Amino acid sequence: MTRIFKCLYIFVGTFFFLHSSSLAQTDMMDSLRVSFHYKPKPVFDFGTRNSFVENTRADIWGIIGGISYHKKVRMGLGYNYLISDLTHPLFFPDRGILQTVVMHLKLNYLAAWFEYVYFKNKHWEFSIPLQVGVGESKYTYTYQNTYYTRDAGWIVLYEPTIETKFYFFPWLGAYVDVGLRLMLKNNKAIGRDFNCPMYAFGLFLAYDELFKAVFPHSKLGQKL
């Protein structure tokens, strides 16, 4: 796990270093200026990002919504939460008897989302999605039919990602995401390290293009 983490750091760091050259920055700024002259269109997406917390599978489900400029720049807000059941035992005395309960780790956060598409043709698309989120992590458990919360605290995180898409059709394709979750502020009371590599892959639907294909003469389709 440590070796994978170091390799991803090197890979992602090298990628952003290469794309932070003066030429790349100039091309990006010119592309951004041109894109913002187009009328924004709504965009949304959802899915699961796979990751690990201390060698334990920890998957995050998220949904994002926002606007897209010329399919080159996308931005908006997202909501994310931990869907894997990560547990931790809690021991405490009750009436002179040592009791044990299983606590469940909860993690959720709102995030500002920005994505820049730096290459796109008929079949391929390469982009850099970024998220900066603020949320909460905590443990919850039930004891004698009563629900309890423990060690709740704020978190702030940053998630840079590299995304590759291949389009079979304008409305259907496959994607691969590789990135990192970097905790800018962790909840020390939890005692879990959420700094980790992330990855995701699978098929996707471009809902706007699918709508256009099904309803080619629709006024709504023309606006998408």
Side-chain angles (χ1 to χ4, degrees):
M1 180 65 187
T2 302
R3 182 178 300 175
I4 295 175
F5 192 48
K6 289 181 178 178
C7 289
L8 277 172
Y9 257 119
I10 295 172
F11 173 65
V12 175
T14 302
F15 178 89
F16 282 102
F17 172 77
L18 292 175
H19 284 78
S20 64
S21 65
S22 59
L23 179 59
Q25 288 180 358
T26 300
D27 291 342
M28 179 177 177
M29 293 306 298
D30 290 342
S31 179
L32 288 173
R33 279 193 290 267
V34 172
S35 298
F36 286 134
H37 284 98
Y38 287 84
K39 184 178 180 180
K41 298 182 179 181
V43 62
F44 80 97
D45 197 8
F46 60 90
T48 301
R49 300 187 301 284
N50 308 301
S51 64
F52 294 89
V53 173
E54 299 172 353
N55 298 321
T56 302
R57 183 77 173 264
D59 297 341
I60 301 290
W61 187 88
I63 183 170
I64 54 178
I67 54 178
S68 171
Y69 289 92
H70 195 44
K71 296 188 177 181
K72 192 74 173 178
V73 179
R74 305 173 184 128
M75 62 184 69
L77 294 174
Y79 175 72
N80 308 266
Y81 69 93
L82 178 69
I83 58 175
S84 298
D85 187 20
L86 304 185
T87 61
H88 187 75
L90 174 65
F91 304 95
F92 60 94
D94 184 14
R95 300 175 184 177
I97 301 176
L98 183 64
Q99 303 291 339
T100 305
V101 297
V102 176
M103 300 190 299
H104 300 270
L105 180 60
K106 304 295 181 181
L107 171 74
N108 59 82
Y109 55 95
L110 292 173
W113 159 66
F114 177 86
E115 182 176 2
Y116 171 65
V117 179
Y118 64 91
F119 178 83
K120 183 177 176 64
N121 61 21
K122 182 179 179 180
H123 290 291
W124 291 97
E125 178 181 301
F126 299 94
S127 65
I128 307 172
L130 307 171
Q131 284 199 117
V132 179
V134 177
E136 181 187 49
S137 62
K138 61 186 178 182
Y139 280 115
T140 64
Y141 65 94
T142 301
Y143 180 66
Q144 295 184 346
N145 298 321
T146 302
Y147 183 82
Y148 295 92
T149 298
R150 179 187 174 94
D151 299 331
W154 289 99
I155 58 170
V156 181
L157 52 83
Y158 171 55
E159 296 178 344
T161 311
I162 301 170
E163 182 176 74
T164 300
K165 290 182 178 179
F166 180 81
Y167 288 84
F168 305 112
F169 305 100
W171 47 270
L172 176 65
Y175 73 96
V176 176
D177 288 353
V178 178
L180 297 171
R181 179 183 305 115
L182 304 174
M183 302 302 295
L184 305 180
K185 180 185 182 304
N186 206 355
N187 178 7
K188 296 181 180 180
I190 291 293
R192 295 289 187 101
D193 184 9
F194 287 97
N195 291 289
C196 64
M198 303 183 303
Y199 67 94
F201 59 89
L203 299 176
F204 71 90
L205 284 174
Y207 299 102
D208 55 343
E209 296 295 338
L210 179 60
F211 190 90
K212 293 176 185 178
V214 177
F215 305 102
H217 304 296
S218 168
K219 291 183 179 180
L220 178 59
Q222 296 174 2
K223 295 180 180 180
L224 294 176

